[in-house]
Amino acid sequence: MDNLAPAISPPPGLGDSKPTHQLVLDWVHEVQALTQPENVFWCDGSEKENTYLLGEAQKQGIIEKLNEEKVPGSYLHRSNPNDVARVEQFTLICTPTKEEAGPTNHWADPAETYTKLNGLLKGAMRGRTMFVVPYIMGPPDSPLAKVGFEITDSIYVVLSMRIMTRMGAVAVKRLEQSENGEWNRGTHSLLDVNPERRLICHFPQDNAIVSVGSGYGGNVLLSKKCLALRIGSYLARKQGWLAEHMLILGVESPAGKKHYVAAAFPSACGKTNFAMLIPPAHFEGWKITTVGDDIAWMKIGDDGRLYAVNPENGYFGVVPGTSYKSNPNAMKSIEHDTLYTNVALTDDRNVWWEGKDGEPPAHAIDWRGNDWTPASKEKAAHPNSRFAVPMQNNPVLDPNVENGEGVPISAIIFGGRRSDTMPLVFQARDWEHGVYIGATMGSETTAAATGAVGKVRRDPMAMLPFCGYNMGDYFKHWLKTGPRLKNPPAIFHVNWFRKGADGKFMWPGFGDNMRVLKWMIDRFEGGGGATESPIGFVPRPEDLDTADLAGMTKEKLEDLLSVKPEEWKKELETQQEFFDTLGADMPAELTAQHDKLAARFAQ
Ligand code: OXD
Ligand code: MN
């Protein structure tokens, strides 16, 4: 078999920043002895190192340089066609008991899994370079920041980690200064990128991750879903904070009054768009800024409010559908210094994807590396093709993004992709009801994970694939957090995707979501009208500012905001089916919330 990742021979002065931390050195030696790489490259995150690795990755055909005039500083990577999304069925939580992982996770015995992984990793890096990537999640001076080390045999991983995390010396320094000495150990090997030998394993008790057999971002950038969410949620519960699959945005009024909100949506539900929203002309003077597009780490501040940091340093977003119409700020962010994966390459070495502005190119090379024309049956870009960009590329990056204490959160938004049942927006009655709304979130599935597309699945707080422990205990952690907050955020649920009888989306979404955000601000600032429905507070058509919204009628708004008892009857049943799968782990408070909701409908 061809070696997928042949060793590189760095010149003197590169790849030798070995830290002094003994536990790190011991662990690296252990993995080295097991995987037997040709050499070890200690990354320092410098520009010089990055330039060298970009050159090596090009020589090996792992990335291609794009047109320097059209997309300066940018590259294209094509993954193996068998390896294009997260693999939830092979994502394991290895806790001492199955009970700790809970019924929503794939559990495996830690000792047996280590034995299996050691078998797979034995000699796996022969003829390859083993990179050691130190990184830090969160602003380096944040009490929430966490250090991780990722060992990998993939240059693509190293290049991506440099974008997605604060990588190199800053992490080593933070570990040296840390009081508790906590750090995450992540081991990744491509092996032979064979789906039959693909496992993404988490060992929360050991603060360790082992990922083998994949080269796709969500499975191998161990900082992201693995550490920041799965291991992160486990640590958060133990340490009294929250690790959530949420974007964080700032919204500032023309008078200069600013709020921050955090929002949880399942993968590919427009999170990046919402985080970079441009308000419509009618909202002149309103400004949205991005703190984070995917993950929020939140702690309780001294004033009893919830404060959030974005643990990441970059965005790893879905490309198809991104255009100047849907998300101009994302387009500006990915115009330069971007690492693209699985998009199409045009004849002038630019990138193209379905949904990009303008006409499709007459000819391109598709994400598999084959010739493509508009007549081709296949998509040019994979539906889950991605960009990785430093957050500094974002023209609306929030000025407080590096603030280690985080930004105060005024509201939490839960949302899903639902063709029916869920009105455009409603507000929870209180924290406990809000937790229930988050716990019962459902969404029609998308291409971000392998599996069927378009089915409603329950995805509590958008954490179903990312909660590193028992979901019932996760709900209990949320329920306990509310009373610890003197000033808890208001909680809302949104659905941008409701369809009318004609099968068309009723709400334009994108920038017009500002109108919904404005209603939320009115609500938590103390104004804002609403009617109290069985499911919570729903705006009346006149409570939403729909001025200048083309094609919107009062009837359409009424339909969009309607709470239909017959739809909710079914919803309550399927929510109950999901709760039943959690069995004895379900907190009584949420079962009671379900019963109260059913009773309100029966009144
Ligand atoms: C992501 C996801 O990539 O949620 O952010 O799948
Ligand atoms: Mn995500």
Side-chain angles (χ1 to χ4, degrees):
M1 191 204 61
D2 284 349
N3 184 355
L4 294 172
I8 56 169
S9 313
L14 275 181
D16 54 6
S17 353
K18 197 168 173 174
T20 53
H21 196 280
Q22 197 53 48
L23 292 176
V24 173
L25 296 177
D26 292 349
W27 167 68
V28 171
H29 287 149
E30 208 180 286
V31 180
Q32 186 180 359
L34 175 68
T35 58
Q36 297 165 27
E38 182 145 323
N39 51 12
V40 179
F41 188 108
W42 300 88
C43 299
D44 65 9
S46 65
E47 195 59 52
K48 190 167 163 214
E49 171 183 282
N50 195 46
T51 307
Y52 168 71
L53 293 177
L54 284 167
E56 290 302 302
Q58 283 175 86
K59 272 193 230 151
Q60 294 190 3
I62 292 163
I63 55 171
E64 288 183 43
K65 175 98 178 84
L66 295 168
N67 186 318
E68 187 58 21
E69 255 142 53
K70 305 226 148 117
V71 252
S74 301
Y75 298 85
L76 169 65
H77 167 74
R78 289 192 196 94
S79 75
N80 187 312
N82 77 30
D83 186 31
V84 290
R86 288 186 287 102
V87 280
E88 288 171 16
Q89 64 281 29
F90 305 122
T91 298
L92 309 180
I93 301 294
C94 308
T95 42
T97 64
K98 190 164 184 203
E99 170 67 17
E100 281 164 273
T104 60
N105 279 313
H106 296 282
W107 173 81
D109 176 75
E112 278 171 23
T113 312
Y114 276 130
T115 305
K116 182 169 181 179
L117 290 167
N118 286 349
L120 291 167
L121 284 168
K122 195 158 186 234
M125 296 192 193
R126 265 188 214 135
R128 297 183 182 181
T129 294
M130 182 171 107
F131 299 92
V132 185
V133 181
Y135 65 93
I136 184 163
M137 299 304 281
D141 67 346
S142 174
L144 284 166
K146 301 274 178 218
V147 171
F149 279 78
E150 177 164 351
I151 287 176
T152 178
D153 53 9
S154 157
I155 302 191
Y156 168 75
V157 167
V158 181
L159 297 172
S160 305
M161 288 295 281
R162 185 163 186 274
I163 296 172
M164 296 302 298
T165 72
R166 294 158 177 95
M167 168 182 152
V170 62
V172 175
K173 188 160 150 231
R174 164 90 190 198
L175 181 58
E176 276 160 10
Q177 290 167 354
S178 120
E179 275 164 29
N180 61 9
E182 181 186 81
W183 58 282
N184 177 272
R185 52 198 79 197
T187 307
H188 166 247
S189 174
L190 294 162
L191 305 184
D192 55 351
V193 192
N194 182 334
E196 282 169 25
R197 284 184 283 280
R198 186 166 295 156
L199 286 173
I200 323 298
C201 307
H202 304 75
F203 302 88
Q205 274 82 356
D206 300 342
N207 201 352
I209 305 157
V210 182
S211 164
V212 293
S214 171
Y216 167 75
N219 300 325
V220 299
L221 309 180
L222 301 184
S223 56
K224 191 173 175 66
K225 302 301 185 183
C226 300
L227 172 55
L229 288 177
R230 297 195 190 97
I231 299 282
S233 59
Y234 170 87
L235 293 175
R237 173 170 172 247
K238 217 166 85 175
Q239 300 168 354
W241 51 282
L242 296 171
E244 300 301 329
H245 190 201
M246 291 181 180
L247 65 89
I248 311 160
L249 64 80
V251 48
E252 191 177 329
S253 74
K257 184 144 194 224
K258 188 155 183 185
H259 288 287
Y260 289 95
V261 307
F265 296 92
S267 310
C269 273
K271 256 169 102 179
T272 310
N273 294 344
F274 194 40
M276 298 180 181
L277 176 156
I278 296 182
H282 174 64
F283 283 82
E284 206 193 324
W286 285 85
K287 257 199 323 231
I288 302 288
T289 47
T290 318
V291 178
D293 75 325
D294 195 36
I295 299 174
W297 281 358
M298 300 189 281
K299 68 170 175 64
I300 300 173
D302 295 338
D303 59 357
R305 296 187 73 186
L306 201 54
Y307 283 79
V309 298
N310 172 11
E312 301 191 276
N313 192 48
Y315 309 136
F316 181 65
V318 175
V319 180
T322 308
S323 67
Y324 279 98
K325 183 162 171 280
S326 67
N327 192 341
N329 288 322
M331 286 303 282
K332 285 183 198 145
S333 307
I334 63 179
E335 267 169 0
H336 62 99
D337 301 298
T338 301
L339 179 51
Y340 287 95
T341 300
N342 291 341
V343 296
L345 178 69
T346 62
D347 293 348
D348 58 355
R349 307 198 65 69
N350 199 345
V351 275
W352 191 79
W353 53 83
E354 280 74 12
K356 196 179 182 188
D357 309 84
E359 291 301 308
H363 173 262
I365 304 293
D366 72 10
W367 67 274
R368 288 188 166 89
N370 298 328
D371 284 312
W372 182 93
T373 71
S376 303
K377 285 205 188 67
E378 308 282 342
K379 294 224 183 292
H382 187 275
N384 193 34
S385 52
R386 297 279 175 148
F387 56 77
V389 284
M391 65 178 175
Q392 286 74 18
N393 278 20
N394 179 359
V396 293
L397 188 66
D398 190 86
N400 281 319
V401 77
E402 294 290 349
N403 182 342
E405 287 305 317
V407 295
I409 297 297
S410 302
I412 289 176
I413 304 171
F414 295 117
R417 181 182 282 271
R418 297 292 300 269
S419 309
D420 49 42
T421 313
M422 292 293 165
L424 176 64
V425 58
F426 62 99
Q427 182 182 6
R429 304 154 84 92
D430 52 33
W431 180 270
E432 193 179 288
H433 181 222
V435 175
Y436 172 77
I437 289 170
T440 51
M441 246 171 76
S443 194
E444 288 152 21
T445 47
T446 69
T450 51
V453 170
K455 283 214 159 78
V456 173
R457 78 165 180 176
R458 294 291 145 194
D459 191 351
M461 279 110 169
M463 283 290 278
L464 185 74
F466 306 121
C467 183
Y469 62 100
N470 188 308
M471 191 59 86
D473 291 334
Y474 170 74
F475 294 158
K476 287 178 198 155
H477 179 47
W478 264 84
L479 289 166
K480 274 197 203 140
T481 302
R484 291 173 58 214
L485 289 161
K486 271 206 289 298
N487 205 343
I491 301 182
F492 297 90
H493 185 282
V494 299
N495 176 23
W496 316 134
F497 302 96
R498 197 169 188 176
K499 289 183 178 163
D502 58 1
K504 294 205 178 114
F505 290 120
M506 287 196 271
W507 182 248
F510 302 109
D512 286 307
N513 293 339
M514 178 68 218
R515 299 169 192 273
V516 177
L517 201 49
K518 172 68 171 52
W519 178 75
M520 293 181 198
I521 296 169
D522 292 345
R523 292 292 295 169
F524 60 68
E525 281 190 345
T531 155
E532 191 168 356
S533 82
I535 65 167
F537 299 98
V538 186
R540 296 160 302 178
E542 62 271 30
D543 298 323
L544 277 181
D545 186 345
T546 53
D548 300 341
L549 187 55
M552 189 51 75
T553 59
K554 183 150 187 283
E555 292 66 43
K556 202 161 166 191
L557 261 182
E558 270 164 4
D559 203 11
L560 191 56
L561 295 167
S562 63
V563 177
K564 298 186 175 145
E566 64 287 3
E567 289 181 343
W568 275 88
K569 187 164 179 276
K570 194 159 157 255
E571 176 69 15
L572 276 160
E573 276 166 22
T574 53
Q575 289 184 357
Q576 185 60 47
E577 278 164 24
F578 174 64
F579 280 1
D580 288 347
T581 64
L582 299 181
D585 302 318
M586 255 328 275
E589 291 91 328
L590 296 190
T591 315
Q593 283 287 338
H594 181 273
D595 295 347
K596 282 192 257 179
L597 176 54
R600 288 197 292 271
F601 270 110
Q603 266 166 22

